[in-house]
Amino acid sequence: SAAIALAAVGGSSAYSVNRSTLRSLGQKNVAARSNVRNIRSNDIKMEDFGFLKGSGIGFEDAWTGADASDACISEVGLERALNADGLRYKMNKTKDEASQCEPLFGLPGFTVNLPLIGETYLGPPRVDSVWEALGFTATSNNEARQNEKLKAIEKARGAKSGVLGGEGATLRSKWLE
């Protein structure tokens, strides 16, 4: 009847192919849209309503206060801050430790100044062996880290109170024995 004929005509457009569709088959269509904003809901957003301002734990206190450290913003900054104290970051040797090693297999390396990145070393790593370069024998346990561990042990032995002011000295002495 009429309803079946109307449904057949309306549904047939989905299966019809014209020449323009065949010509554009397999071609990439890149349209320039300058007025359309790309808004994604999963982008990172920092919400600061200011109700913790001046409390010591607010946004400005954490990122611009006297205790603020740019080291926590990037891995490069954190590596530089740790290396300044002689500590390794992600088991990589510090610049001083690496300067004492020859380049792996004696291969040459060079430094280039890249536009967005800046001064960058391209070449083999300065490590003791290929196994260390692959991470099998790499360690973060250098002399500076061992000294920090000893300081932490002495601080724990001398502490009179535990975490959050609880019992600490008696429990800790049992653990350290």
Side-chain angles (χ1 to χ4, degrees), residues 135-176:
F136 291 115
T137 60
T139 178
S140 64
N141 201 13
N142 62 356
E143 186 178 347
R145 184 175 168 100
Q146 290 172 3
N147 291 337
E148 289 294 324
K149 288 179 183 179
L150 291 174
K151 285 183 205 173
I153 290 171
E154 289 305 315
K155 184 177 177 184
R157 280 193 180 132
K160 300 296 180 201
S161 63
V163 178
L164 299 176
E167 181 186 7
T170 56
L171 290 175
R172 200 173 297 109
S173 63
K174 292 176 187 174
W175 282 89
L176 292 174

PDB file of all heavy atoms in Angstrom, residues 135-176:
ATOM      1  N   GLY A 135      69.092  -0.689  31.137  1.00  0.00           N
ATOM      2  CA  GLY A 135      68.399  -0.614  32.417  1.00  0.00           C
ATOM      3  C   GLY A 135      68.524  -1.849  33.276  1.00  0.00           C
ATOM      4  O   GLY A 135      67.962  -1.890  34.368  1.00  0.00           O
ATOM      5  N   PHE A 136      69.263  -2.857  32.828  1.00  0.00           N
ATOM      6  CA  PHE A 136      69.358  -4.087  33.617  1.00  0.00           C
ATOM      7  C   PHE A 136      70.211  -3.903  34.864  1.00  0.00           C
ATOM      8  O   PHE A 136      69.904  -4.444  35.907  1.00  0.00           O
ATOM      9  CB  PHE A 136      69.911  -5.233  32.764  1.00  0.00           C
ATOM     10  CG  PHE A 136      68.963  -5.683  31.701  1.00  0.00           C
ATOM     11  CD1 PHE A 136      69.273  -5.523  30.366  1.00  0.00           C
ATOM     12  CD2 PHE A 136      67.745  -6.248  32.032  1.00  0.00           C
ATOM     13  CE1 PHE A 136      68.399  -5.937  29.391  1.00  0.00           C
ATOM     14  CE2 PHE A 136      66.863  -6.663  31.058  1.00  0.00           C
ATOM     15  CZ  PHE A 136      67.191  -6.504  29.726  1.00  0.00           C
ATOM     16  N   THR A 137      71.314  -3.160  34.760  1.00  0.00           N
ATOM     17  CA  THR A 137      72.187  -2.988  35.925  1.00  0.00           C
ATOM     18  C   THR A 137      72.167  -1.555  36.442  1.00  0.00           C
ATOM     19  O   THR A 137      72.969  -1.203  37.286  1.00  0.00           O
ATOM     20  CB  THR A 137      73.639  -3.365  35.567  1.00  0.00           C
ATOM     21  OG1 THR A 137      74.081  -2.513  34.496  1.00  0.00           O
ATOM     22  CG2 THR A 137      73.738  -4.810  35.154  1.00  0.00           C
ATOM     23  N   ALA A 138      71.247  -0.741  35.932  1.00  0.00           N
ATOM     24  CA  ALA A 138      71.145   0.640  36.391  1.00  0.00           C
ATOM     25  C   ALA A 138      70.572   0.672  37.800  1.00  0.00           C
ATOM     26  O   ALA A 138      69.758  -0.166  38.175  1.00  0.00           O
ATOM     27  CB  ALA A 138      70.253   1.449  35.448  1.00  0.00           C
ATOM     28  N   THR A 139      71.013   1.632  38.577  1.00  0.00           N
ATOM     29  CA  THR A 139      70.533   1.754  39.952  1.00  0.00           C
ATOM     30  C   THR A 139      70.492   3.224  40.343  1.00  0.00           C
ATOM     31  O   THR A 139      71.211   4.047  39.786  1.00  0.00           O
ATOM     32  CB  THR A 139      71.446   0.974  40.923  1.00  0.00           C
ATOM     33  OG1 THR A 139      70.956   1.168  42.243  1.00  0.00           O
ATOM     34  CG2 THR A 139      72.875   1.440  40.854  1.00  0.00           C
ATOM     35  N   SER A 140      69.619   3.540  41.262  1.00  0.00           N
ATOM     36  CA  SER A 140      69.563   4.909  41.772  1.00  0.00           C
ATOM     37  C   SER A 140      70.359   5.032  43.058  1.00  0.00           C
ATOM     38  O   SER A 140      70.371   6.073  43.689  1.00  0.00           O
ATOM     39  CB  SER A 140      68.119   5.327  42.009  1.00  0.00           C
ATOM     40  OG  SER A 140      67.556   4.511  43.012  1.00  0.00           O
ATOM     41  N   ASN A 141      71.011   3.963  43.458  1.00  0.00           N
ATOM     42  CA  ASN A 141      71.677   3.909  44.747  1.00  0.00           C
ATOM     43  C   ASN A 141      73.118   4.402  44.642  1.00  0.00           C
ATOM     44  O   ASN A 141      74.051   3.614  44.669  1.00  0.00           O
ATOM     45  CB  ASN A 141      71.625   2.473  45.282  1.00  0.00           C
ATOM     46  CG  ASN A 141      71.810   2.420  46.771  1.00  0.00           C
ATOM     47  OD1 ASN A 141      71.744   3.431  47.447  1.00  0.00           O
ATOM     48  ND2 ASN A 141      72.043   1.242  47.284  1.00  0.00           N
ATOM     49  N   ASN A 142      73.298   5.701  44.543  1.00  0.00           N
ATOM     50  CA  ASN A 142      74.653   6.257  44.539  1.00  0.00           C
ATOM     51  C   ASN A 142      75.000   6.756  45.947  1.00  0.00           C
ATOM     52  O   ASN A 142      74.235   6.589  46.895  1.00  0.00           O
ATOM     53  CB  ASN A 142      74.797   7.360  43.492  1.00  0.00           C
ATOM     54  CG  ASN A 142      73.891   8.536  43.737  1.00  0.00           C
ATOM     55  OD1 ASN A 142      73.084   8.527  44.656  1.00  0.00           O
ATOM     56  ND2 ASN A 142      74.017   9.546  42.903  1.00  0.00           N
ATOM     57  N   GLU A 143      76.151   7.356  46.097  1.00  0.00           N
ATOM     58  CA  GLU A 143      76.624   7.776  47.420  1.00  0.00           C
ATOM     59  C   GLU A 143      75.687   8.794  48.078  1.00  0.00           C
ATOM     60  O   GLU A 143      75.412   8.724  49.273  1.00  0.00           O
ATOM     61  CB  GLU A 143      78.036   8.353  47.305  1.00  0.00           C
ATOM     62  CG  GLU A 143      78.655   8.685  48.635  1.00  0.00           C
ATOM     63  CD  GLU A 143      80.076   9.217  48.500  1.00  0.00           C
ATOM     64  OE1 GLU A 143      80.656   9.102  47.416  1.00  0.00           O
ATOM     65  OE2 GLU A 143      80.576   9.758  49.499  1.00  0.00           O
ATOM     66  N   ALA A 144      75.171   9.743  47.278  1.00  0.00           N
ATOM     67  CA  ALA A 144      74.268  10.757  47.844  1.00  0.00           C
ATOM     68  C   ALA A 144      72.992  10.119  48.374  1.00  0.00           C
ATOM     69  O   ALA A 144      72.489  10.507  49.432  1.00  0.00           O
ATOM     70  CB  ALA A 144      73.939  11.797  46.777  1.00  0.00           C
ATOM     71  N   ARG A 145      72.466   9.122  47.675  1.00  0.00           N
ATOM     72  CA  ARG A 145      71.246   8.462  48.143  1.00  0.00           C
ATOM     73  C   ARG A 145      71.521   7.662  49.416  1.00  0.00           C
ATOM     74  O   ARG A 145      70.696   7.623  50.329  1.00  0.00           O
ATOM     75  CB  ARG A 145      70.680   7.560  47.058  1.00  0.00           C
ATOM     76  CG  ARG A 145      69.367   6.919  47.463  1.00  0.00           C
ATOM     77  CD  ARG A 145      68.787   6.132  46.323  1.00  0.00           C
ATOM     78  NE  ARG A 145      67.697   5.305  46.774  1.00  0.00           N
ATOM     79  CZ  ARG A 145      66.420   5.599  46.629  1.00  0.00           C
ATOM     80  NH1 ARG A 145      66.073   6.716  46.058  1.00  0.00           N
ATOM     81  NH2 ARG A 145      65.494   4.778  47.050  1.00  0.00           N
ATOM     82  N   GLN A 146      72.674   7.008  49.493  1.00  0.00           N
ATOM     83  CA  GLN A 146      73.018   6.262  50.703  1.00  0.00           C
ATOM     84  C   GLN A 146      73.130   7.199  51.896  1.00  0.00           C
ATOM     85  O   GLN A 146      72.687   6.861  52.996  1.00  0.00           O
ATOM     86  CB  GLN A 146      74.321   5.491  50.490  1.00  0.00           C
ATOM     87  CG  GLN A 146      74.167   4.344  49.513  1.00  0.00           C
ATOM     88  CD  GLN A 146      75.490   3.700  49.158  1.00  0.00           C
ATOM     89  OE1 GLN A 146      76.527   4.067  49.686  1.00  0.00           O
ATOM     90  NE2 GLN A 146      75.450   2.745  48.247  1.00  0.00           N
ATOM     91  N   ASN A 147      73.679   8.400  51.682  1.00  0.00           N
ATOM     92  CA  ASN A 147      73.758   9.387  52.768  1.00  0.00           C
ATOM     93  C   ASN A 147      72.373   9.832  53.202  1.00  0.00           C
ATOM     94  O   ASN A 147      72.119  10.027  54.401  1.00  0.00           O
ATOM     95  CB  ASN A 147      74.599  10.584  52.340  1.00  0.00           C
ATOM     96  CG  ASN A 147      76.062  10.220  52.195  1.00  0.00           C
ATOM     97  OD1 ASN A 147      76.533   9.254  52.781  1.00  0.00           O
ATOM     98  ND2 ASN A 147      76.782  10.996  51.398  1.00  0.00           N
ATOM     99  N   GLU A 148      71.450  10.015  52.255  1.00  0.00           N
ATOM    100  CA  GLU A 148      70.073  10.401  52.592  1.00  0.00           C
ATOM    101  C   GLU A 148      69.381   9.294  53.388  1.00  0.00           C
ATOM    102  O   GLU A 148      68.627   9.575  54.311  1.00  0.00           O
ATOM    103  CB  GLU A 148      69.274  10.712  51.321  1.00  0.00           C
ATOM    104  CG  GLU A 148      69.680  11.993  50.628  1.00  0.00           C
ATOM    105  CD  GLU A 148      69.384  13.227  51.455  1.00  0.00           C
ATOM    106  OE1 GLU A 148      68.349  13.263  52.164  1.00  0.00           O
ATOM    107  OE2 GLU A 148      70.193  14.169  51.410  1.00  0.00           O
ATOM    108  N   LYS A 149      69.647   8.048  53.035  1.00  0.00           N
ATOM    109  CA  LYS A 149      69.064   6.931  53.791  1.00  0.00           C
ATOM    110  C   LYS A 149      69.582   6.915  55.220  1.00  0.00           C
ATOM    111  O   LYS A 149      68.817   6.690  56.166  1.00  0.00           O
ATOM    112  CB  LYS A 149      69.399   5.602  53.109  1.00  0.00           C
ATOM    113  CG  LYS A 149      68.650   5.354  51.826  1.00  0.00           C
ATOM    114  CD  LYS A 149      69.079   4.025  51.239  1.00  0.00           C
ATOM    115  CE  LYS A 149      68.412   3.753  49.921  1.00  0.00           C
ATOM    116  NZ  LYS A 149      68.854   2.470  49.341  1.00  0.00           N
ATOM    117  N   LEU A 150      70.869   7.160  55.403  1.00  0.00           N
ATOM    118  CA  LEU A 150      71.448   7.180  56.751  1.00  0.00           C
ATOM    119  C   LEU A 150      70.864   8.323  57.584  1.00  0.00           C
ATOM    120  O   LEU A 150      70.584   8.155  58.768  1.00  0.00           O
ATOM    121  CB  LEU A 150      72.972   7.288  56.681  1.00  0.00           C
ATOM    122  CG  LEU A 150      73.690   6.041  56.126  1.00  0.00           C
ATOM    123  CD1 LEU A 150      75.185   6.318  55.959  1.00  0.00           C
ATOM    124  CD2 LEU A 150      73.451   4.846  57.016  1.00  0.00           C
ATOM    125  N   LYS A 151      70.653   9.487  56.933  1.00  0.00           N
ATOM    126  CA  LYS A 151      70.032  10.618  57.636  1.00  0.00           C
ATOM    127  C   LYS A 151      68.604  10.261  58.078  1.00  0.00           C
ATOM    128  O   LYS A 151      68.184  10.602  59.182  1.00  0.00           O
ATOM    129  CB  LYS A 151      69.976  11.846  56.732  1.00  0.00           C
ATOM    130  CG  LYS A 151      71.283  12.549  56.531  1.00  0.00           C
ATOM    131  CD  LYS A 151      71.038  13.783  55.675  1.00  0.00           C
ATOM    132  CE  LYS A 151      72.262  14.201  54.923  1.00  0.00           C
ATOM    133  NZ  LYS A 151      71.966  15.292  53.978  1.00  0.00           N
ATOM    134  N   ALA A 152      67.865   9.580  57.212  1.00  0.00           N
ATOM    135  CA  ALA A 152      66.488   9.205  57.537  1.00  0.00           C
ATOM    136  C   ALA A 152      66.446   8.213  58.688  1.00  0.00           C
ATOM    137  O   ALA A 152      65.578   8.296  59.563  1.00  0.00           O
ATOM    138  CB  ALA A 152      65.800   8.621  56.308  1.00  0.00           C
ATOM    139  N   ILE A 153      67.394   7.274  58.711  1.00  0.00           N
ATOM    140  CA  ILE A 153      67.439   6.295  59.803  1.00  0.00           C
ATOM    141  C   ILE A 153      67.748   6.988  61.124  1.00  0.00           C
ATOM    142  O   ILE A 153      67.107   6.726  62.145  1.00  0.00           O
ATOM    143  CB  ILE A 153      68.474   5.193  59.490  1.00  0.00           C
ATOM    144  CG1 ILE A 153      67.968   4.314  58.346  1.00  0.00           C
ATOM    145  CG2 ILE A 153      68.747   4.340  60.717  1.00  0.00           C
ATOM    146  CD1 ILE A 153      69.000   3.340  57.812  1.00  0.00           C
ATOM    147  N   GLU A 154      68.704   7.907  61.129  1.00  0.00           N
ATOM    148  CA  GLU A 154      69.048   8.639  62.357  1.00  0.00           C
ATOM    149  C   GLU A 154      67.893   9.518  62.819  1.00  0.00           C
ATOM    150  O   GLU A 154      67.624   9.621  64.013  1.00  0.00           O
ATOM    151  CB  GLU A 154      70.308   9.477  62.149  1.00  0.00           C
ATOM    152  CG  GLU A 154      71.569   8.652  62.046  1.00  0.00           C
ATOM    153  CD  GLU A 154      71.768   7.726  63.235  1.00  0.00           C
ATOM    154  OE1 GLU A 154      71.581   8.168  64.393  1.00  0.00           O
ATOM    155  OE2 GLU A 154      72.092   6.548  63.016  1.00  0.00           O
ATOM    156  N   LYS A 155      67.193  10.129  61.866  1.00  0.00           N
ATOM    157  CA  LYS A 155      66.043  10.957  62.219  1.00  0.00           C
ATOM    158  C   LYS A 155      64.933  10.097  62.828  1.00  0.00           C
ATOM    159  O   LYS A 155      64.278  10.493  63.791  1.00  0.00           O
ATOM    160  CB  LYS A 155      65.529  11.685  60.978  1.00  0.00           C
ATOM    161  CG  LYS A 155      64.409  12.648  61.245  1.00  0.00           C
ATOM    162  CD  LYS A 155      64.008  13.370  59.982  1.00  0.00           C
ATOM    163  CE  LYS A 155      62.843  14.283  60.233  1.00  0.00           C
ATOM    164  NZ  LYS A 155      62.366  14.941  59.019  1.00  0.00           N
ATOM    165  N   ALA A 156      64.746   8.895  62.283  1.00  0.00           N
ATOM    166  CA  ALA A 156      63.721   7.992  62.817  1.00  0.00           C
ATOM    167  C   ALA A 156      64.096   7.498  64.208  1.00  0.00           C
ATOM    168  O   ALA A 156      63.231   7.360  65.075  1.00  0.00           O
ATOM    169  CB  ALA A 156      63.519   6.811  61.873  1.00  0.00           C
ATOM    170  N   ARG A 157      65.367   7.224  64.432  1.00  0.00           N
ATOM    171  CA  ARG A 157      65.805   6.759  65.764  1.00  0.00           C
ATOM    172  C   ARG A 157      65.620   7.838  66.822  1.00  0.00           C
ATOM    173  O   ARG A 157      65.282   7.544  67.959  1.00  0.00           O
ATOM    174  CB  ARG A 157      67.279   6.352  65.704  1.00  0.00           C
ATOM    175  CG  ARG A 157      67.491   4.994  65.130  1.00  0.00           C
ATOM    176  CD  ARG A 157      68.900   4.502  65.380  1.00  0.00           C
ATOM    177  NE  ARG A 157      69.030   3.179  64.800  1.00  0.00           N
ATOM    178  CZ  ARG A 157      70.018   2.802  64.035  1.00  0.00           C
ATOM    179  NH1 ARG A 157      70.997   3.628  63.753  1.00  0.00           N
ATOM    180  NH2 ARG A 157      70.061   1.592  63.538  1.00  0.00           N
ATOM    181  N   GLY A 158      65.855   9.076  66.449  1.00  0.00           N
ATOM    182  CA  GLY A 158      65.787  10.169  67.413  1.00  0.00           C
ATOM    183  C   GLY A 158      64.415  10.769  67.592  1.00  0.00           C
ATOM    184  O   GLY A 158      64.200  11.586  68.486  1.00  0.00           O
ATOM    185  N   ALA A 159      63.439  10.380  66.763  1.00  0.00           N
ATOM    186  CA  ALA A 159      62.104  10.974  66.838  1.00  0.00           C
ATOM    187  C   ALA A 159      61.384  10.513  68.100  1.00  0.00           C
ATOM    188  O   ALA A 159      61.399   9.336  68.443  1.00  0.00           O
ATOM    189  CB  ALA A 159      61.299  10.600  65.611  1.00  0.00           C
ATOM    190  N   LYS A 160      60.775  11.451  68.794  1.00  0.00           N
ATOM    191  CA  LYS A 160      60.057  11.134  70.032  1.00  0.00           C
ATOM    192  C   LYS A 160      58.600  10.772  69.778  1.00  0.00           C
ATOM    193  O   LYS A 160      57.993  10.047  70.540  1.00  0.00           O
ATOM    194  CB  LYS A 160      60.108  12.326  70.994  1.00  0.00           C
ATOM    195  CG  LYS A 160      61.518  12.711  71.382  1.00  0.00           C
ATOM    196  CD  LYS A 160      62.194  11.607  72.152  1.00  0.00           C
ATOM    197  CE  LYS A 160      63.599  12.027  72.519  1.00  0.00           C
ATOM    198  NZ  LYS A 160      64.465  10.915  72.807  1.00  0.00           N
ATOM    199  N   SER A 161      58.028  11.318  68.701  1.00  0.00           N
ATOM    200  CA  SER A 161      56.623  11.007  68.407  1.00  0.00           C
ATOM    201  C   SER A 161      56.538  10.394  67.014  1.00  0.00           C
ATOM    202  O   SER A 161      57.388  10.604  66.165  1.00  0.00           O
ATOM    203  CB  SER A 161      55.763  12.266  68.479  1.00  0.00           C
ATOM    204  OG  SER A 161      56.173  13.189  67.503  1.00  0.00           O
ATOM    205  N   GLY A 162      55.467   9.647  66.804  1.00  0.00           N
ATOM    206  CA  GLY A 162      55.265   8.969  65.534  1.00  0.00           C
ATOM    207  C   GLY A 162      54.455   9.810  64.565  1.00  0.00           C
ATOM    208  O   GLY A 162      54.276  11.011  64.738  1.00  0.00           O
ATOM    209  N   VAL A 163      53.922   9.148  63.567  1.00  0.00           N
ATOM    210  CA  VAL A 163      53.113   9.810  62.556  1.00  0.00           C
ATOM    211  C   VAL A 163      51.848  10.352  63.201  1.00  0.00           C
ATOM    212  O   VAL A 163      51.213   9.676  64.004  1.00  0.00           O
ATOM    213  CB  VAL A 163      52.773   8.820  61.421  1.00  0.00           C
ATOM    214  CG1 VAL A 163      51.888   9.469  60.368  1.00  0.00           C
ATOM    215  CG2 VAL A 163      54.033   8.288  60.787  1.00  0.00           C
ATOM    216  N   LEU A 164      51.506  11.583  62.865  1.00  0.00           N
ATOM    217  CA  LEU A 164      50.324  12.268  63.393  1.00  0.00           C
ATOM    218  C   LEU A 164      50.340  12.359  64.919  1.00  0.00           C
ATOM    219  O   LEU A 164      49.301  12.318  65.568  1.00  0.00           O
ATOM    220  CB  LEU A 164      49.029  11.598  62.919  1.00  0.00           C
ATOM    221  CG  LEU A 164      48.799  11.561  61.408  1.00  0.00           C
ATOM    222  CD1 LEU A 164      47.539  10.780  61.077  1.00  0.00           C
ATOM    223  CD2 LEU A 164      48.702  12.979  60.865  1.00  0.00           C
ATOM    224  N   GLY A 165      51.547  12.438  65.492  1.00  0.00           N
ATOM    225  CA  GLY A 165      51.678  12.626  66.931  1.00  0.00           C
ATOM    226  C   GLY A 165      51.428  11.391  67.758  1.00  0.00           C
ATOM    227  O   GLY A 165      51.364  11.469  68.980  1.00  0.00           O
ATOM    228  N   GLY A 166      51.281  10.240  67.129  1.00  0.00           N
ATOM    229  CA  GLY A 166      51.008   9.012  67.870  1.00  0.00           C
ATOM    230  C   GLY A 166      52.278   8.408  68.447  1.00  0.00           C
ATOM    231  O   GLY A 166      53.356   8.992  68.412  1.00  0.00           O
ATOM    232  N   GLU A 167      52.111   7.218  69.001  1.00  0.00           N
ATOM    233  CA  GLU A 167      53.239   6.514  69.596  1.00  0.00           C
ATOM    234  C   GLU A 167      54.232   6.187  68.481  1.00  0.00           C
ATOM    235  O   GLU A 167      53.893   5.608  67.477  1.00  0.00           O
ATOM    236  CB  GLU A 167      52.744   5.229  70.250  1.00  0.00           C
ATOM    237  CG  GLU A 167      53.842   4.442  70.920  1.00  0.00           C
ATOM    238  CD  GLU A 167      53.362   3.102  71.441  1.00  0.00           C
ATOM    239  OE1 GLU A 167      52.218   2.722  71.166  1.00  0.00           O
ATOM    240  OE2 GLU A 167      54.150   2.453  72.124  1.00  0.00           O
ATOM    241  N   GLY A 168      55.456   6.571  68.672  1.00  0.00           N
ATOM    242  CA  GLY A 168      56.423   6.346  67.609  1.00  0.00           C
ATOM    243  C   GLY A 168      57.736   5.802  68.088  1.00  0.00           C
ATOM    244  O   GLY A 168      58.273   4.854  67.537  1.00  0.00           O
ATOM    245  N   ALA A 169      58.290   6.388  69.131  1.00  0.00           N
ATOM    246  CA  ALA A 169      59.638   6.030  69.568  1.00  0.00           C
ATOM    247  C   ALA A 169      59.724   4.574  70.015  1.00  0.00           C
ATOM    248  O   ALA A 169      60.667   3.868  69.664  1.00  0.00           O
ATOM    249  CB  ALA A 169      60.088   6.961  70.693  1.00  0.00           C
ATOM    250  N   THR A 170      58.746   4.097  70.763  1.00  0.00           N
ATOM    251  CA  THR A 170      58.818   2.714  71.256  1.00  0.00           C
ATOM    252  C   THR A 170      58.601   1.708  70.131  1.00  0.00           C
ATOM    253  O   THR A 170      59.315   0.707  70.051  1.00  0.00           O
ATOM    254  CB  THR A 170      57.790   2.481  72.370  1.00  0.00           C
ATOM    255  OG1 THR A 170      56.490   2.811  71.874  1.00  0.00           O
ATOM    256  CG2 THR A 170      58.094   3.315  73.578  1.00  0.00           C
ATOM    257  N   LEU A 171      57.643   1.992  69.258  1.00  0.00           N
ATOM    258  CA  LEU A 171      57.400   1.094  68.131  1.00  0.00           C
ATOM    259  C   LEU A 171      58.582   1.095  67.163  1.00  0.00           C
ATOM    260  O   LEU A 171      58.990   0.050  66.668  1.00  0.00           O
ATOM    261  CB  LEU A 171      56.127   1.493  67.373  1.00  0.00           C
ATOM    262  CG  LEU A 171      54.819   1.247  68.088  1.00  0.00           C
ATOM    263  CD1 LEU A 171      53.659   1.811  67.280  1.00  0.00           C
ATOM    264  CD2 LEU A 171      54.624  -0.240  68.300  1.00  0.00           C
ATOM    265  N   ARG A 172      59.107   2.272  66.899  1.00  0.00           N
ATOM    266  CA  ARG A 172      60.195   2.398  65.942  1.00  0.00           C
ATOM    267  C   ARG A 172      61.458   1.708  66.435  1.00  0.00           C
ATOM    268  O   ARG A 172      62.174   1.080  65.657  1.00  0.00           O
ATOM    269  CB  ARG A 172      60.466   3.882  65.683  1.00  0.00           C
ATOM    270  CG  ARG A 172      61.201   4.129  64.420  1.00  0.00           C
ATOM    271  CD  ARG A 172      61.304   5.600  64.095  1.00  0.00           C
ATOM    272  NE  ARG A 172      60.010   6.207  63.883  1.00  0.00           N
ATOM    273  CZ  ARG A 172      59.449   7.073  64.729  1.00  0.00           C
ATOM    274  NH1 ARG A 172      60.053   7.445  65.809  1.00  0.00           N
ATOM    275  NH2 ARG A 172      58.269   7.582  64.463  1.00  0.00           N
ATOM    276  N   SER A 173      61.727   1.775  67.715  1.00  0.00           N
ATOM    277  CA  SER A 173      62.931   1.131  68.248  1.00  0.00           C
ATOM    278  C   SER A 173      62.838  -0.390  68.081  1.00  0.00           C
ATOM    279  O   SER A 173      63.834  -1.050  67.828  1.00  0.00           O
ATOM    280  CB  SER A 173      63.135   1.493  69.724  1.00  0.00           C
ATOM    281  OG  SER A 173      62.059   1.019  70.505  1.00  0.00           O
ATOM    282  N   LYS A 174      61.634  -0.948  68.176  1.00  0.00           N
ATOM    283  CA  LYS A 174      61.454  -2.380  67.958  1.00  0.00           C
ATOM    284  C   LYS A 174      61.722  -2.737  66.486  1.00  0.00           C
ATOM    285  O   LYS A 174      62.312  -3.752  66.179  1.00  0.00           O
ATOM    286  CB  LYS A 174      60.050  -2.809  68.355  1.00  0.00           C
ATOM    287  CG  LYS A 174      59.780  -2.727  69.839  1.00  0.00           C
ATOM    288  CD  LYS A 174      58.342  -3.075  70.140  1.00  0.00           C
ATOM    289  CE  LYS A 174      58.024  -2.815  71.612  1.00  0.00           C
ATOM    290  NZ  LYS A 174      56.596  -3.003  71.896  1.00  0.00           N
ATOM    291  N   TRP A 175      61.275  -1.878  65.578  1.00  0.00           N
ATOM    292  CA  TRP A 175      61.462  -2.137  64.150  1.00  0.00           C
ATOM    293  C   TRP A 175      62.921  -1.995  63.748  1.00  0.00           C
ATOM    294  O   TRP A 175      63.388  -2.726  62.870  1.00  0.00           O
ATOM    295  CB  TRP A 175      60.613  -1.169  63.327  1.00  0.00           C
ATOM    296  CG  TRP A 175      59.165  -1.539  63.271  1.00  0.00           C
ATOM    297  CD1 TRP A 175      58.195  -1.166  64.149  1.00  0.00           C
ATOM    298  CD2 TRP A 175      58.526  -2.377  62.315  1.00  0.00           C
ATOM    299  NE1 TRP A 175      56.999  -1.703  63.803  1.00  0.00           N
ATOM    300  CE2 TRP A 175      57.174  -2.454  62.655  1.00  0.00           C
ATOM    301  CE3 TRP A 175      58.963  -3.045  61.184  1.00  0.00           C
ATOM    302  CZ2 TRP A 175      56.262  -3.181  61.929  1.00  0.00           C
ATOM    303  CZ3 TRP A 175      58.040  -3.780  60.441  1.00  0.00           C
ATOM    304  CH2 TRP A 175      56.706  -3.842  60.831  1.00  0.00           C
ATOM    305  N   LEU A 176      63.620  -1.054  64.332  1.00  0.00           N
ATOM    306  CA  LEU A 176      65.000  -0.800  63.937  1.00  0.00           C
ATOM    307  C   LEU A 176      65.998  -1.784  64.535  1.00  0.00           C
ATOM    308  O   LEU A 176      67.151  -1.809  64.150  1.00  0.00           O
ATOM    309  CB  LEU A 176      65.393   0.639  64.301  1.00  0.00           C
ATOM    310  CG  LEU A 176      64.686   1.734  63.510  1.00  0.00           C
ATOM    311  CD1 LEU A 176      65.041   3.091  64.049  1.00  0.00           C
ATOM    312  CD2 LEU A 176      65.012   1.631  62.037  1.00  0.00           C
TER     313      LEU A 176
END
